[in-house]
Amino acid sequence: MKQPLIASVLAALLALAGFGSHAAEPIAAQAEQVFRSGFRADNPKYWMTRLDQDEAMRLCSQHKDSPPPKVRAQIEKAQQATIRYPVDGKLIGDWKEGEKLAAVGTGGHIGFIQPDPPGRLRGGNCYACHQLAPKEVAFGTIGPSLRHFGKLRGSGDDVIKYVYDKVYNSNAFTACSNMPRFGLHNWLTPEQITHLVAFLVDPASPVNQD
Ligand code: HEC
């Protein structure tokens, strides 16, 4: 009876001493390998580079999307520094263009069966995660509802800048946000982002109408 008890206490002490974490590393490497092997090696290079994590993603993975305050602040500061603005400095565009972009879910699809042809309009696909204008009833709820965004938050310069920055690089505000970083990844141009800002903030936009 005594021997097994001693053995299990010893095992627990070894685990506490960090032997468990040594075992975790090869498992993570194996998982990464399995994940990558799901993609064909002859894929175009720019498809494969999407599998590489940048520093923010790496830190978020390391901390399971919940980094300690210091790391969180470090990520957000670095992401904030990536934000670029339109040359004319105007951060609010045309809500009608923004309305179209918000609803477009195409562009940039990879895969051999039905990849998007080069040059196909890239949309924001905002309804995948947010409620916006009332006429679109099929919306996801991963993100908060943005219905009446401008009505509730106003349309001052600070709000306009916040929305521009958020859409450009969402992780500048929420270190491990799962909202895509549309500007950072050149998914949307700065000009397209200004149209989305108008869609959310302009009092005439359907987002802010009843
Ligand atoms: C994959 C899901 C996803 C997509 C797609 C997405 N978002 Fe988000 N969004 C989120 C989440 C989640 C949040 C909540 C805060 C956070 O985690 O960043 C958020 C927050 C926001 C906020 C801040 C809201 C507030 O109350 O301050 C704005 C503005 C926003 N999104 C705009 C957009 C726009 C515009 C688009 C389309 C171009 C878009 N989002 C696409 C997930 C998404």
Side-chain angles (χ1 to χ4, degrees):
M1 215 29 221
K2 247 181 186 166
Q3 278 306 85
L5 184 66
I6 289 169
S8 51
V9 168
L10 203 67
L13 284 174
L14 284 173
L16 276 176
F19 283 82
S21 63
H22 284 285
E25 262 175 54
I27 292 173
Q30 276 171 28
E32 174 84 13
Q33 215 174 19
V34 169
F35 170 67
R36 283 180 179 270
S37 68
F39 294 81
R40 287 168 41 165
D42 61 346
N43 281 341
K45 199 164 177 322
Y46 80 95
W47 292 7
M48 301 306 282
T49 55
R50 289 205 202 170
L51 305 183
D52 298 331
Q53 291 193 321
D54 68 7
E55 182 68 358
M57 290 163 136
R58 194 184 62 70
L59 287 168
C60 288
S61 295
Q62 189 187 327
H63 296 283
K64 298 191 168 61
D65 283 351
S66 176
K70 226 176 122 182
V71 178
R72 200 172 64 212
Q74 176 197 329
I75 297 173
E76 289 170 0
K77 197 173 162 213
Q79 296 301 302
Q80 188 76 46
T82 69
I83 300 174
R84 300 286 172 267
Y85 297 95
V87 274
D88 65 4
K90 201 168 160 269
L91 303 188
I92 183 159
D94 178 353
W95 68 259
K96 292 196 184 88
E97 291 303 316
E99 180 177 36
K100 282 186 235 158
L101 282 169
V104 171
T106 57
H109 289 147
I110 61 172
F112 283 99
I113 301 172
Q114 227 172 12
D116 277 331
R120 186 167 188 191
L121 179 68
R122 290 179 171 197
N125 206 15
C126 314
Y127 287 100
C129 299
H130 295 285
Q131 179 182 29
L132 293 126
K135 80 170 179 207
E136 178 56 83
V137 293
F139 54 84
T141 52
I142 291 174
S145 170
L146 301 176
R147 180 109 183 79
H148 292 150
F149 185 89
K151 219 173 168 177
L152 297 167
R153 308 274 276 267
S155 53
D157 287 349
D158 52 340
V159 177
I160 290 171
K161 182 171 183 302
Y162 165 63
V163 177
Y164 182 93
D165 288 357
K166 178 73 187 169
V167 178
Y168 193 102
N169 189 337
S170 157
N171 296 38
F173 300 89
T174 309
C176 301
S177 171
N178 51 20
M179 174 165 153
R181 293 174 285 176
F182 293 100
L184 178 74
H185 289 142
N186 296 316
W187 191 263
L188 299 172
T189 64
E191 192 195 357
Q192 286 175 318
I193 297 176
T194 67
H195 298 324
L196 286 159
V197 170
F199 183 46
L200 261 63
V201 170
D202 194 320
S205 158
V207 165
N208 297 315
Q209 302 288 309
D210 289 325

